[in-house]
Structure formats: structure tokens, C-alpha cells
Amino acid sequence: MTQILSKPHLKQKYTKITITPRLCYFRSENPENQSDFATEISYSITRKNKFIHPKFFYDETGSKLFEEICMLQEYYLTRTELEILQSIKLDMANHLSGDYALIELGSGSATKTRTLLEILTQKQESVEYYPIDISEILKESSENLQRDYDNLNITGIIDQYETGLKFIKKLNIQNQLIVFLGSSLGNFKPEESMKFLKKIRGIMKENDLFLLGLDLVKDTKILEKAYNDSKGVTSKFNLNLLKRINDELAANFYLDKFEHVALFNNDLDKFEHVALFNNEEKRIEMYLRSKEKQEVLISGINLVLKLEKDELIHTEYSYKYTVSGINDMAEKAGLKPVKIWHDKNNYFALVLFSIKN
Ligand code: AVI
């Protein structure tokens, strides 16, 4: 059953899709939310310091490649976070007095969520789960979860995080456990992550908790290996941005005289993946390097892009954290660290926050 909802108190328009009595989604229909790939690329790629926003990694191919990255030996983040989650179940349960609703930002395939759902579904008569994700992958994972836990009710929100959080705030849920895993906060610039943490703080009440997964600063070699894997999956993930520009921007521009629509010369071999740890800024920096001086025709946006040999297109930052940095960040955002868990190698941390009074 599908119905368009634009309640007067919700500025955003949502389509409600009911799948079963225990599973429904709200999909944001606000066109302002749908970022326009062509417009953003024409701006970002013509700056002096060229860049492509990392949100564009996650088309269908990119999302599959990211799932592959998560299973790589060198990419310790996913495996380590899952290990910590599994080992803290009991301890985590002790921090939850009373019934909690689970709100997850960027749930993706929800593998890690299961560890938390196991705690909640065993303790509580019923559990409300609100995954927020821009990707429709949320649907598939929610259907599987609903099948596996009979006392679980799922309300998925297919939207960007910020508007998704506003939606949650309106619901005025008592006892929220908000989770943001995978060190996804690290892909925001520090000023953006502070704003985002403050938004999360803004929807938290007295007994609410916030669980945040963060990758920790460690040996440069280990960090750089995680972003330069031996199978070349991360390289493909990065180059897929150019593939997207090839496919999506050319497809929109119908010019018969361009028999050969030479976006990025249709030759991704002229670009290479670069990932380096910047020790001063405590972040992995990802770029696409132009291997030669070249001109690229991006017909979909009517642009001839000139690139020098070795010129870099910036594609991602992935910040790494220290415990003192996490404490400072929490203080500024109005959050109080209740508990910090990490693995035996100190590679990754899960931090539980409450609000600071
Ligand atoms: C999603 N995010 C936390 C990943 C990271 O590690 O920064 C994205 C990624 N980029 C390259 N590999 C993985």
C-alpha cells in the first residue's frame, strides 16, 4: 500500500509504503534532496583544486564494491567493529535500563545491526527499529531482519541523514539508542562532523544513548594498506566515479555527431587511484591522478576538462581518531562519553554517549 504523506507538521513530503503490519518505509519525495550529479560535477571538477564528492561513490556498482572492500583482509575496519560489537553485548545490555528503540544512520546491509537487535529483541517484548539510509538497500535488509525477529517492528526512512533525523525528532520517541557505525563520520570534514554530532545531540533526550564507531589512528603502513588493497578493489571503487561520469553524463546528451563520446577518453587507464595517510591532519586522502596531460570531453555538461600530468582530483577524506580527540569532539558537541570499547590492537573504537547536562 502506498500513500503520499505531507502532514502539516512535516515540511518534507514522504511516501509511505506499507509492506506488512510490522514493516513500512517513508521515502522522501523532496526534489531538493536529490542532488543533481551533473550540476555538482560541473562545479567541483572545474575548481582549481578539482574534487568529486564522496557521496557519489555509492551508485549500484560502487555500493557493491564497497561491500567487497568491507570483506577484504587489509580493510580491518568492518571486521574489527563487528568483533567489538559481539564482545560487548552483555556490557551494552547493562547500559540499557528500560526498553529502547534503535535508530540507525546508514544501516546499509545491516550485518552489524544484528548484534544490537539481538540484545534488544531478547530483553524486550517488542523492539522498534528505525533505519535511515539514502539507499534502497535498506528495503532488502529490513525485509530479512523482519523475517528473523518476530518481535521487531521496522519503520525505514529512505532519506538523507539530516532530514531523516528531523523526521525522527517529530516522532518524539522515548529511550532512543542512536547508532552510527563504520567510521562513516570520518568521511565528513571536521566542521561538518561537529555540525552533524550537534544535530544528533539535538534529537537526544535524558535517557537516550548514541553509539558511534570510529577508526583509530595507527601505524601508517596498516592504514595505507587498508586503502590500497592488493586485489585493487579500492582502486576500482575510486575509478568507478569516472565510470559514472562516462555513463551518466554522456547518456544524457544526445549528439549524433559525437560518434565516440570520449568522456575521460573512455580510457580509465589514464587515471590511477591514490590513497595516502596525512599524518598531520590524521586522515587518509584519496585522489584520482591523471597519468598524463590530457583533455577530457564531458559532453553531458558541455565541458572540455584540461588536466596536467600528475594532477589530482580529490575524492575522499577518511579521518582517523584518538581517544583524546574523541573526548574533545564530544565535549564540543554537548555529548558525554559513557563508555569507550576497543579491540585488543586498539584499531577501532565504539563509543557510547549520553547527553551532557
Ligand atoms: C564509508 N567509509 C567509512 C569508508 C572509509 O573507510 O572511509 C569508505 C571507503 N573508502 C575507501 N575504502 C572505504
Side-chain angles (χ1 to χ4, degrees), residues 57-58 66 69-70 75 77 181-187 215 226-227 234 237 273 284 286 316-320:
F57 278 130
Y58 303 96
F66 180 61
I69 289 175
C70 291
Y75 195 76
L77 287 82
L181 301 176
S183 203
S184 295
L185 190 78
N187 296 134
D215 194 18
Y227 293 82
T234 314
F237 174 72
H273 161 74
I284 285 281
M286 267 185 16
E316 188 179 60
Y317 288 140
S318 190
Y319 279 86
K320 308 301 164 190

Side-chain angles (χ1 to χ4, degrees), residues 228-244:
N228 290 285
D229 64 278
S230 50
K231 286 189 182 154
V233 187
T234 314
S235 164
K236 256 197 217 160
F237 174 72
N238 201 5
L239 285 162
N240 183 52
L241 287 171
L242 301 186
K243 176 86 172 43
R244 264 194 88 169

Side-chain angles (χ1 to χ4, degrees), residues 2-3 5 18 30 51-52 55 71 81 98 128 131 133 152 199 252 258 285 287 295 300-301 345:
T2 302
Q3 88 192 87
L5 267 198
T18 305
N30 196 337
F51 70 96
I52 303 173
K55 68 182 170 197
M71 290 185 292
E81 188 177 40
E128 299 296 326
D133 205 307
L152 181 66
K199 289 240 157 71
N252 292 339
F258 285 111
E285 299 181 352
Y287 301 94
E295 283 190 5
I301 51 173
N345 296 316

Side-chain angles (χ1 to χ4, degrees), residues 11 67 79 84 94 110 136 138 237-238 240 242 262 280 293 301 331 353:
K11 269 197 212 129
E67 275 183 37
R79 182 178 65 244
I84 306 172
N94 290 333
E136 304 255 340
L138 185 151
F237 174 72
N238 201 5
N240 183 52
L242 301 186
E280 229 158 86
K293 186 178 165 102
I301 51 173
E331 174 75 27
F353 300 99

